[in-house]
Amino acid sequence: MKMEILLFILIQTLLLLIPSRFYVAANDRQQQQQKGTYIIQMDSSNKPAVFEDHVNWYDSSLRSVSDSADMFYTYTNVVHGFSASLSDKEAELLKKQPGVVSVIPEIRYELHTTRTPDFLGLMEKRPSTISVLPSPDKVGDVVIGVLDTGVWPEIRSYDDSGLDPVPRSWKGECEVGKNFNSSSCNRKLIGATFFSKGYERKTGRLINQEVESKSPRDDQGHGTHTSSTAAGSAVADAGFFGYATGTARGMASAARVAVYKVCWLGGCFGSDILAAVDKAIEDGVHVLSMSFGGGSHDYYYDNVAIAAFAATARGILVSASAGNNGPHSGILSNVAPWITTVGAGTLDRDFPAYVKLGNGKTYKGVSLYGEKPLSDTVLVPIISAYNASNSTDGNLCLAGTLIPEKVAGKIVICDRGRSQKVLKGLVVKDAGGVGMILTSDEESYGEEQVAYPHFLPTSSVRLEKGNEIKNYADHEASPTATIIQGGTKLGVEPSPTVAAFSSRGPNLVTPEILKPDIIAPGVNILAGWTGAVGPSGLSLDQRRVSFNIISGTSMSCPHVSGLAALLKAAHPEWSPAAIRSALMTTAYSTYKNGETIEDVVTESAATPFDFGAGHVDPVAALDPGLVYDATVEDYTRFLCASNYTSDQIKTVTKRDFTCNKRNKSSVRDLNYPSFSVPFEKASRRLTYRRTLTNVGDPATYKVSVSKVDAVKILVKPTALTFKQANEKQTYTVTFVGRRLAWNTLRSGRLEWSDGKHIVGSNVAFRWT
Ligand SMILES: *[C@@H]1O[C@H](CO)[C@@H](O)[C@H](O)[C@H]1NC(C)=O
Ligand SMILES: *[C@@H]1O[C@H](CO)[C@@H](O)[C@H](O)[C@H]1NC(C)=O
Ligand SMILES: *[C@@H]1O[C@H](CO)[C@@H](O)[C@H](O)[C@H]1NC(C)=O
Ligand SMILES: *[C@@H]1O[C@H](CO)[C@@H](O)[C@H](O)[C@H]1NC(C)=O
Ligand SMILES: *[C@@H]1O[C@H](CO)[C@@H](O)[C@H](O)[C@H]1NC(C)=O
């Protein structure tokens, strides 16, 4: 039988030598352009005996539909299968081949900073946290895998002083490539690999090494920022042009980092992501951090959801960013119920820049301008950009639209949009302006919270303040102003608030599962940066920094990844679901004064659709009392309840599973730590079943529920007694809703308490 295969290969090889093949090749190339990358999953337990190994079998299946396509990755851990470039027709044919479970297109994912590098954040541990954290040697056993743009290993965040040798169980490596060799890794950065085959297939050419390094080297900054946020070593005297100075440290500063470079200038491609997770599982990571997304998809179609399922099944917690589509509702990434989906909140830190007008009025905005400021007392003329331009979009301060004679020596008011904010400042500066006031539009309402590393004195202000300032500048005889840089302000209240950009629910893939799961700091975050580009990410930015302040759910995700690593160190036996449950049931949704966390956009109470379980509280999470655990079987039953076909279930789970038709569970019964309740005309009485596992001392927990207008909440039983550790108890909760208008939202809360712990679940109601 082996002969057959040899013969087959021989014939293939010979065919390549026949001249007529070359005619075909030109045609092929044309077709090649219409080809796309597909992930092909095979029924690995049913490999025909004629094939010596799986790769031979995969190859033969591929050959049966295309003689030119090649398998550029084969996967073993994450899925059973491979990826290949195929035409739509070939993909259709391949689906019908025996043993093929699914053929799904690769998805392109994008990093979750709103653009290359200008958001911000913070990463100080609260003093109260430090005392209760697991010891550094325990944390040193935990490896956080970061899928991102790579790493700039020379910054101090990767200093490995004082760390124990690399854990013996670690199987990863340091992959050599452009500007990266084995000495780039150490006891902190214990793994670094890159995955570019899918990217190169997609672009149809090899990576241009003049522009980006075909190695784990980070040319963009994003991956250095996220990985140092999760697990960077403590760095004294860090800061950014005098802002946010102090000790910078990752959330799990003693944990190890392994970077998997899957994001390139052209995006992050599904076939590369699957290959990276395949390797991360093999290498032995404990947490995976992914700060990118590609929209909402059914789980069997979403490359990341499939990869995350395999990781979760191996006990790896997957933390991913919710996306930056806020404040619009219902546009979320990474909503699979086995992923920890992280939204973003603000810190109690701000970088104010005050606009003082000639009429005596002062307006607060924000900025990260770090060079010579304007005088606080000597006011200079101010002009609206549209009065200093002859262009129809003169308000936007686009390159070449400002008239230098009108701008020279003045502060210029520019509207947001069309070009990067930092670039607008450069346009003003080049035209002779001395300062800039950046105003928001309706679309970006609230976004002025996010500070940028400007090239000249700047203040970004909210829409209504911008309108007042314009009104003054446009109608006063000789309007004047100055911008006073306020430095770094701490203790800002209220904090946290939900960031304007943070993606919000409802979850349109499974409305019964609340997403995002949790929020964490994602606005104006200080962390490590690449030496390859300046803090603005613009090629003309000559500045170089080893720390940068940027924002996005990209930044909040690695906070949770790092905190999950601390929980893993403290409780190595906990499953990913248990760790997530601890983070969620101990998160807070109110300030100390009892008011609900605000949405920065509305400046009023946010809802669980915005913040999920609330804001992460790592100290409380270390001792949650009870957890809502979940296993691969639970997630598989959830897919049955989602009415997926057996092939769709197998595409996600890699296993054969027969859904129990007679005792079909509901998606409401997935053992999730929060509740989302979609009331429909026909079903305004919905019952959810949950099981709690005791991870504390024996205790009796009693339930309490909040009063919710138009909803009755019935919990059975109302007390649960746990006599020993790991004991499980089940309860049901029924929500009965009155008839309310379409898209009405309400929030509620259900808490179990033994007097010492509060195991809290937020409930989001929506009438659909
Ligand atoms: C590895 O890189 C370091 C720093 O870039 C350099 O000093 C060293 O010579 C390199 N080693 C090899 C074997 O290329
Ligand atoms: C607009 O202003 C620019 C800069 O002063 C000038 O070069 C250009 O000719 C003007 N265009 C028109 C249509 O006036
Ligand atoms: C600036 O433009 C606005 C809007 O077109 C106009 O109302 C105002 O009079 C102008 N002001 C000056 C000083 O040109
Ligand atoms: C699955 O199908 C059943 C029966 O048609 C239906 O009641 C249920 O709502 C469906 N579930 C989902 C998640 O679509
Ligand atoms: C139905 O399945 C659930 C778990 O999903 C189980 O707890 C219950 O006992 C089953 N009921 C019957 C009648 O088999």
Side-chain angles (χ1 to χ4, degrees):
M1 287 300 177
K2 241 196 231 165
M3 267 322 270
E4 260 181 40
I5 297 163
L6 274 178
L7 211 63
F8 180 76
I9 294 168
L10 195 65
I11 292 167
Q12 289 290 316
T13 316
L14 286 173
L15 274 174
L16 283 170
L17 299 174
I18 298 169
S20 69
R21 279 290 294 184
F22 293 113
Y23 286 101
V24 184
N27 255 337
D28 266 6
R29 210 166 298 132
Q30 242 168 8
Q31 276 179 8
Q32 196 77 32
Q33 284 163 359
Q34 290 141 21
K35 289 189 174 191
T37 295
Y38 288 85
I39 319 287
I40 298 95
Q41 291 200 43
M42 306 288 287
D43 186 2
S44 76
S45 51
N46 288 320
K47 175 177 75 66
V50 306
F51 297 103
E52 196 183 357
D53 61 25
H54 284 87
V55 175
N56 283 335
W57 176 40
Y58 298 169
D59 193 54
S60 155
S61 304
L62 184 57
R63 292 284 149 260
S64 67
V65 303
S66 163
D67 48 18
S68 64
D70 69 321
M71 272 189 289
F72 60 89
Y73 284 120
T74 55
Y75 307 112
T76 50
N77 300 306
V78 71
V79 296
H80 299 300
F82 59 96
S83 48
S85 294
L86 300 170
S87 66
D88 294 354
K89 201 171 148 217
E90 288 164 347
E92 279 307 315
L93 283 174
L94 189 52
K95 250 179 227 173
K96 298 192 183 102
Q97 295 301 309
V100 174
V101 175
S102 64
V103 178
I104 59 165
E106 168 184 75
I107 292 171
R108 177 178 174 274
Y109 295 83
E110 285 181 6
L111 294 168
H112 277 155
T113 35
T114 53
R115 63 197 177 77
T116 318
D118 342 276
F119 271 150
L120 56 168
L122 175 75
M123 31 186 320
E124 291 155 19
K125 251 187 254 164
R126 285 175 250 170
S128 58
T129 316
I130 293 161
S131 59
V132 294
L133 288 176
S135 64
D137 59 316
K138 276 193 187 162
V139 180
D141 291 340
V142 180
V143 185
I144 305 176
V146 181
L147 271 66
D148 211 299
T149 61
V151 64
W152 191 272
E154 288 81 13
I155 63 166
R156 289 181 289 158
S157 300
Y158 302 101
D159 185 342
D160 65 354
S161 311
L163 291 184
D164 288 337
V166 174
R168 248 182 280 143
S169 58
W170 177 247
K171 295 209 214 83
E173 65 207 287
C174 203
E175 191 174 7
V176 174
K178 171 134 187 255
N179 294 331
F180 211 92
N181 63 35
S182 55
S183 63
S184 302
C185 293
N186 61 14
R187 291 177 175 190
K188 164 59 67 180
L189 182 66
I190 65 170
T193 38
F194 65 94
F195 300 84
S196 59
K197 288 181 195 169
Y199 177 43
E200 289 180 327
R201 294 296 150 135
K202 191 69 194 177
T203 57
R205 54 185 162 72
L206 296 178
I207 283 168
N208 176 359
Q209 299 246 31
E210 300 286 302
V211 182
E212 50 186 336
S213 313
K214 197 163 168 178
S215 78
R217 170 79 46 191
D218 180 9
D219 305 303
Q220 299 186 50
H222 191 274
T224 304
H225 202 277
T226 55
S227 57
S228 60
T229 298
S233 300
V235 177
D237 303 319
F240 177 76
F241 293 125
Y243 291 99
T245 51
T247 298
R249 64 173 91 223
M251 295 299 104
S253 58
R256 322 288 179 146
V257 177
V259 304
Y260 299 87
K261 181 170 171 183
V262 296
C263 294
W264 305 86
L265 290 172
C268 328
F269 292 90
S271 59
D272 292 330
I273 293 167
L274 281 160
V277 174
D278 205 63
K279 179 147 182 15
I281 291 172
E282 189 74 35
D283 289 350
V285 306
H286 302 98
V287 173
L288 275 177
S289 193
M290 303 195 206
S291 288
F292 49 76
S296 289
H297 305 278
D298 279 315
Y299 309 121
Y300 59 82
Y301 195 84
D302 186 340
N303 309 166
V304 162
I306 292 167
F309 191 98
T312 307
R314 300 288 194 99
I316 300 165
L317 181 135
V318 179
S319 152
S321 45
N324 298 337
N325 291 307
H328 308 289
S329 62
I331 318 173
L332 283 158
S333 298
N334 302 318
V335 296
W338 45 90
I339 293 176
T340 302
T341 313
V342 187
T346 60
L347 294 166
D348 66 342
R349 185 176 66 181
D350 197 11
F351 305 105
Y354 303 95
V355 179
K356 190 166 130 191
L357 300 182
N359 64 7
K361 286 200 173 160
T362 300
Y363 301 87
K364 184 184 151 296
V366 295
S367 176
L368 283 172
Y369 169 69
E371 286 154 80
K372 191 170 179 292
L374 292 173
S375 161
D376 289 1
T377 49
V378 182
L379 275 55
V380 299
I382 177 171
I383 186 165
S384 293
Y386 47 73
N387 285 332
S389 170
N390 55 15
S391 153
T392 50
D393 46 16
N395 58 323
L396 298 174
C397 296
L398 305 176
T401 62
L402 293 177
I403 302 167
E405 302 81 69
K406 296 205 173 175
V407 169
K410 294 182 187 161
I411 290 171
V412 181
I413 308 166
C414 305
D415 284 349
R416 171 190 192 276
R418 296 264 293 279
S419 72
Q420 297 190 18
K421 291 177 173 163
V422 175
L423 208 47
K424 290 172 192 281
L426 212 52
V427 170
V428 170
K429 195 178 180 190
D430 286 348
V434 297
M436 173 171 72
I437 292 163
L438 208 47
T439 67
S440 293
D441 51 24
E442 298 282 359
E443 183 72 4
S444 61
Y445 209 61
E447 206 218 336
E448 84 290 348
Q449 293 272 342
V450 174
Y452 294 83
H454 293 286
F455 290 106
L456 83 173
T458 297
S459 178
S460 301
V461 298
R462 284 182 89 109
L463 176 71
E464 65 274 14
K465 294 178 187 170
N467 287 342
E468 283 186 33
I469 297 168
K470 280 181 195 164
N471 195 37
Y472 165 79
D474 291 355
H475 303 297
E476 200 67 21
S478 5
T480 55
T482 191
I483 297 168
I484 302 166
Q485 304 294 149
T488 305
K489 200 173 150 216
L490 299 175
V492 174
E493 287 193 31
S495 67
T497 58
V498 178
F501 59 77
S502 187
S503 284
R504 293 113 196 275
N507 170 359
L508 299 179
V509 184
T510 308
E512 292 83 356
I513 300 290
L514 182 64
K515 292 281 179 174
D517 288 315
I518 199 159
I519 60 169
V523 180
N524 299 339
I525 304 298
L526 178 79
W529 198 245
T530 176
V533 289
S536 69
L538 300 171
S539 54
L540 41 73
D541 188 347
Q542 298 300 318
R543 300 173 292 181
R544 291 294 178 268
V545 293
S546 52
F547 283 86
N548 194 9
I549 294 176
I550 59 173
S551 304
T553 53
S554 273
M555 280 66 247
S556 56
C557 162
H559 278 84
V560 167
S561 312
L563 298 174
L566 292 180
L567 263 64
K568 181 79 187 170
H571 305 285
E573 72 287 3
W574 283 9
S575 70
I579 293 173
R580 173 176 61 190
S581 175
L583 290 166
M584 287 174 67
T585 62
T586 59
Y588 59 95
S589 310
T590 56
Y591 302 117
K592 288 208 178 71
N593 66 7
E595 299 286 320
T596 301
I597 287 177
E598 280 185 11
D599 183 341
V600 86
V601 178
T602 59
E603 293 187 305
S604 58
T607 78
F609 286 114
D610 308 320
F611 54 60
H615 194 278
V616 67
D617 181 351
V619 181
L622 285 162
D623 180 22
L626 306 173
V627 294
Y628 294 89
D629 206 351
T631 62
V632 166
E633 279 66 32
D634 295 323
Y635 293 128
T636 310
R637 268 198 295 275
F638 164 84
L639 295 173
C640 287
S642 301
N643 296 331
Y644 280 17
T645 66
S646 53
D647 272 354
Q648 287 167 346
I649 292 172
K650 195 161 184 184
T651 296
V652 177
T653 65
K654 287 195 294 180
R655 336 144 122 226
D656 288 310
F657 189 85
T658 312
C659 297
N660 184 341
K661 289 231 169 61
R662 250 177 284 153
N663 179 17
K664 200 162 174 185
S665 62
S666 154
V667 291
R668 295 190 298 274
D669 293 336
L670 180 65
N671 203 30
Y672 219 73
S674 60
F675 297 89
S676 176
V677 184
F679 286 128
E680 288 169 34
K681 218 184 260 156
S683 54
R684 289 201 306 275
R685 180 189 179 90
L686 295 170
T687 297
Y688 293 62
R689 171 201 285 270
R690 292 291 187 268
T691 298
L692 284 160
T693 304
N694 183 24
V695 294
D697 296 329
T700 294
Y701 283 80
K702 292 199 174 111
V703 78
S704 64
V705 294
S706 61
K707 278 212 159 48
V708 183
D709 173 38
V711 183
K712 245 198 284 181
I713 305 175
L714 308 158
V715 182
K716 265 201 287 197
T718 55
L720 298 173
T721 298
F722 297 88
K723 297 200 184 71
Q724 56 201 24
N726 297 319
E727 190 177 336
K728 293 179 189 296
Q729 296 285 352
T730 297
Y731 71 92
T732 60
V733 51
T734 302
F735 304 101
V736 189
R738 286 216 315 267
R739 185 193 302 246
L740 290 183
W742 181 79
N743 212 23
T744 302
L745 306 182
R746 291 274 188 280
S747 311
R749 191 164 167 85
L750 181 156
E751 288 182 351
W752 292 94
S753 179
D754 63 349
K756 188 171 161 229
H757 305 94
I758 292 172
V759 185
S761 293
N762 281 340
V763 190
F765 301 97
R766 177 164 171 259
W767 278 257
T768 64

